[in-house]
Amino acid sequence: MKIRTLDDFDVKGKTVLLRVDMNVPIDPDTKQITGNKRIEEVAITTKALDGAKIVIISHQGRVGRDDFVGMENHAKELEKFCGKKVKYVSDVIGTHAQNEIKNMNDNEIILLDNLRLCAEENYEFSLEESAKTLMVQRLKDLFDLFVLDSFPSAHRTHPSLVGFAQVLPTCAGKLVEREVKQLENILTVAKSPFVIILGGSKVDDRLNALKMMIKKERADNVLLTGLIGNVFLRAQGRIKFPLNIKNEDELVSEAHTLIGEYPDVFSTPVDIAVNKYGERSEIDVRDLNKDDQIFDIGQKTLDYYSKMINGAGTIFISGPAGFFEKENFHFGTKSLLESVANSMATSIVSGGHLTFALKKYDLSEKVNHISTAGGALVRYLTGQKLPMIKCLEDAANGNNSKV
Ligand code: 3PG
């Protein structure tokens, strides 16, 4: 794969648009950042851009969700890792943002506001159409170089991810460069059986990708936890009440179809830890009732999943098993990560939550590859070309439309 990197450009005195992924976990009550691993990593690339005027852009959360917040706290957090001032600008594509960019001096860093405040950024575009969006048209002439460094969103085709690459000289940032190299190396030696451990709450994104992974023989056993686990439990008829999540009927029906097509692949929790006034209570899945708050997997599930992990050749784990940030409910996430770290398998740990947890439990040194990407990595493992990689390859081959 041929892509250009920062080594191919002299950035001194240039105005650089740096697309990163600082989409981090946010406490729903306090709105504070609860995991800063993705922010910490951005500093690797800002340091490599020494001497440039750096304008950083990122999305945070999804519109309408608890984690959809502005970027002011991200700027403060990033400042700690960059070792220099990061100015937060409360605008994305308006005249305020444009004037701030025009008035920058060399070596300054500004962070624009949450990209998803801009309606266009919430939609997928074709590569050609993305270049015509208001976002790209308003900002493109302010920059000399576009640096793509947001591997966690490499599967999306939002304007900030694929549009600028059509109209500006473009290269990979340090994180994307590292990620692509390491994954290529790992996947050429990956051995079966492939055990996939999936948790977290992004169910719709995962179902399609799971099907492709199974077809491509990249998922021999799929061990489910978190919300996606609950959806499969519902499809199996082991949870008998509605979960009250968006598009529940469609998701459960898709899960049902997958179980029917691949009956031996999926494993779901046998016991669950529920929240009883802050205390942990483990019960059999069949004893759940609709008022129970499912916060973690139980010991029996962990024992069963650990056996599968011990027999794996390659393990991919993404998404927490429960509310690991809450006292009394970190058991499942922590113990699964420990099992993975202690296994003989080649291990890939993926996603913002788990990379944060890995660091918290001091396990980072014991796994083979850590990626802050979640959904993007799942897609990558299906063998599909990610839009971001396509943009970088096109840019390296001179195939992007207007440069
Ligand atoms: C992620 O966390 O997977 C990326 O930031 C993409 O977020 P999205 O799924 O909301 O597009």
Side-chain angles (χ1 to χ4, degrees), residues 119-375:
E120 291 171 333
E121 186 68 6
N122 298 284
Y123 297 96
E124 307 273 341
F125 288 83
S126 69
L127 302 193
E128 294 73 27
E129 290 301 314
S130 67
K132 296 180 195 151
T133 53
L134 216 53
M135 176 183 287
V136 174
Q137 289 302 317
R138 282 201 188 169
L139 298 185
K140 69 180 171 55
D141 295 330
L142 302 173
F143 297 101
D144 303 302
L145 176 67
F146 178 50
V147 178
L148 264 172
D149 212 21
S150 52
F151 194 74
S153 26
H155 56 315
R156 304 275 180 233
T157 54
H158 303 152
S160 74
L161 290 157
V162 295
F164 292 108
Q166 312 305 313
V167 295
L168 283 168
T170 297
C171 72
K174 288 285 168 198
L175 309 180
V176 166
E177 183 189 351
R178 180 187 68 189
E179 189 96 43
V180 167
K181 267 192 200 147
Q182 287 189 357
L183 283 172
E184 270 188 348
N185 289 343
I186 284 191
L187 291 176
T188 47
V189 295
K191 44 196 187 303
S192 35
F194 282 80
V195 172
I196 311 294
I197 310 162
L198 276 191
S201 58
K202 289 183 178 168
V203 183
D204 46 350
D205 273 2
R206 302 288 199 264
L207 289 175
N208 240 334
L210 262 179
K211 186 172 181 155
M212 272 187 278
M213 281 164 98
I214 298 169
K215 276 191 173 158
K216 298 265 174 176
E217 300 181 342
R218 284 275 162 85
D220 299 302
N221 297 295
V222 177
L223 317 180
L224 298 166
T225 66
L227 190 59
I228 189 165
N230 298 345
V231 169
F232 275 75
L233 283 168
R234 188 97 176 93
Q236 291 169 325
R238 292 166 68 213
I239 290 186
K240 297 196 183 342
F241 48 86
L243 302 167
N244 293 327
I245 56 169
K246 204 171 148 204
N247 301 329
E248 177 163 346
D249 290 347
E250 287 91 326
L251 296 175
V252 170
S253 142
E254 278 178 54
H256 195 263
T257 309
L258 276 174
I259 296 169
E261 282 176 38
Y262 305 104
D264 303 328
V265 170
F266 295 98
S267 299
T268 49
V270 289
D271 60 346
I272 289 290
V274 296
N275 175 27
K276 293 271 183 236
Y277 308 103
E279 293 301 315
R280 178 184 181 91
S281 164
E282 291 193 9
I283 57 173
D284 191 289
V285 164
R286 289 164 301 188
D287 296 332
L288 271 170
N289 70 59
K290 74 174 178 19
D291 297 323
D292 285 329
Q293 294 180 307
I294 304 174
F295 269 31
D296 196 8
I297 55 168
Q299 178 72 55
K300 291 190 185 120
T301 306
L302 175 76
D303 294 344
Y304 165 47
Y305 283 7
S306 293
K307 281 196 190 118
M308 312 278 262
I309 289 170
N310 286 337
T314 305
I315 302 171
F316 171 75
I317 178 167
S318 180
F323 289 92
F324 74 98
E325 302 91 340
K326 293 196 191 295
E327 223 188 311
N328 296 332
F329 298 99
H330 64 258
F331 167 81
T333 304
K334 181 168 185 257
S335 309
L336 282 175
L337 284 173
E338 282 169 349
S339 284
V340 171
N342 293 327
S343 78
M344 303 295 283
T346 302
S347 48
I348 303 174
V349 178
S350 139
H353 287 90
L354 287 192
T355 47
F356 176 71
L358 210 55
K359 188 175 164 198
K360 183 169 166 185
Y361 307 134
D362 207 12
L363 296 167
S364 304
E365 298 304 317
K366 297 178 106 186
V367 298
N368 295 90
H369 181 66
I370 304 170
S371 171
T372 56

Side-chain angles (χ1 to χ4, degrees), residues 21 23 38 59 62 116 152 156 202 205 375:
D21 194 318
N23 182 22
R38 284 184 176 177
H59 67 282
R62 292 191 187 171
R116 290 184 179 171
R156 304 275 180 233
K202 289 183 178 168
D205 273 2

